[in-house]
Amino acid sequence: MSRTLMGYGKSKSSESIEHKLRWLFPLLMSAGFASSIRAERIVLAPDANTLDPKSYKTSFLIRPDSGNSNISWLTVSTAQSIEIEVQRQHNMGDKRALTGLNVEYPFLSELGAVPAVSVGVRDLLGTGSEHHSLYLAVARTIPLSNSQAKIVRSLKLDAGVGTERINGLFGGLQIVFRSGMDVQLEGLRKRFNFGIGLPVAHNVQVRASGLNGVIFYGLTFSTAH
């Protein structure tokens, strides 16, 4: 495995911008934990469904067997459901974390047979690990039969394409069970990732994720229903 959590090289962008983002992230995370929010993505790949207007999400994953390498996300949704996300990634052997700014715009909301469509950019300022990656994401909820609906609450297919570090096509499957457990499967950069979430309290989940063949553990806080 490479030096970074997701196989990226270290950014050479402006240290002054990264320094400001590094100080901004803990403040935003504090607000996020107080609001009890959750991350809205497949596993690492973009999800075309943005958060509800004026809502928040936060998630944290850590790899205990590798010097506590970790990755965190905090997302704020505007009144127009435009997502503004701060992503912070700290890798074993690196003296400092990489902090990136992501933005996603909901071009279309899912309505009947019309899928959700969003466009976005990862690492807008070039201070993180995804180097100005542009993408188009599409998501569609799959109708369930009466028997399926007794076990599965929702089933969604995701697909998209991106530039730079996203590097081509990506896709995924998201399942939410009636028990509250959710499962995500995705293909991104010709690699397979998965995520499993289990509710442990109101708006709180414990999570296990396989990222590029490495297992991470963490927590998700959510205001979603």
Side-chain angles (χ1 to χ4, degrees):
M1 186 174 180
S2 61
R3 293 182 63 196
T4 61
L5 301 182
M6 293 177 288
Y8 303 153
K10 185 180 282 289
S11 172
K12 301 295 185 179
S13 302
S14 170
E15 293 188 9
S16 62
I17 295 176
E18 183 176 354
H19 179 74
K20 293 176 182 178
L21 284 174
R22 195 185 315 129
W23 280 101
L24 176 65
F25 187 82
L27 297 177
L28 292 176
M29 281 296 287
S30 298
F33 276 95
S35 301
S36 188
I37 56 184
R38 82 175 172 89
E40 186 82 8
R41 58 179 63 230
I42 307 174
V43 182
L44 295 178
D47 183 346
N49 293 282
T50 59
L51 290 178
D52 293 335
K54 298 181 180 180
S55 61
Y56 306 87
K57 63 181 181 181
T58 189
S59 188
F60 177 78
L61 292 174
I62 188 169
R63 182 186 175 189
D65 67 339
S66 181
N68 291 331
S69 297
N70 61 79
I71 181 169
S72 306
W73 299 271
L74 172 68
T75 307
V76 177
S77 181
T78 70
Q80 296 77 33
S81 288
I82 299 172
E83 287 186 356
I84 302 171
E85 179 178 75
V86 178
Q87 175 178 312
R88 188 171 186 271
Q89 178 180 326
H90 187 251
N91 312 297
M92 181 180 66
D94 289 344
K95 294 182 179 180
R96 56 177 181 168
L98 297 178
T99 306
L101 180 66
N102 309 326
V103 179
E104 180 168 307
Y105 176 78
F107 188 73
L108 286 176
S109 297
E110 185 173 357
L111 182 62
V114 179
V117 180
S118 292
V119 293
V121 57
R122 293 276 181 88
D123 194 14
L124 178 64
L125 303 178
T127 56
S129 59
E130 295 185 280
H131 303 270
H132 314 289
S133 299
L134 302 174
Y135 64 85
L136 170 72
V138 179
R140 175 80 165 84
T141 300
I142 305 302
L144 301 171
S145 67
N146 290 336
S147 59
Q148 291 171 335
K150 293 178 181 179
I151 301 173
V152 178
R153 182 180 301 167
S154 67
L155 175 64
K156 188 172 65 174
L157 291 176
D158 299 85
V161 62
T163 67
E164 299 297 333
R165 297 295 184 176
I166 293 179
N167 192 26
L169 298 174
F170 60 85
L173 175 69
Q174 301 188 63
I175 308 171
V176 180
F177 294 94
R178 290 289 177 184
S179 63
M181 180 179 75
D182 60 68
V183 176
Q184 302 82 35
L185 307 172
E186 75 173 19
L188 176 68
R189 293 185 293 275
K190 300 180 180 180
R191 295 185 178 183
F192 172 77
N193 299 319
F194 71 86
I196 300 173
L198 294 171
V200 292
H202 181 61
N203 293 335
V204 181
Q205 279 188 326
V206 293
R207 299 200 63 81
S209 296
L211 310 180
N212 297 340
V214 179
I215 304 299
F216 287 77
Y217 304 94
L219 290 172
T220 294
F221 297 78
S222 173
T223 56
H225 300 291

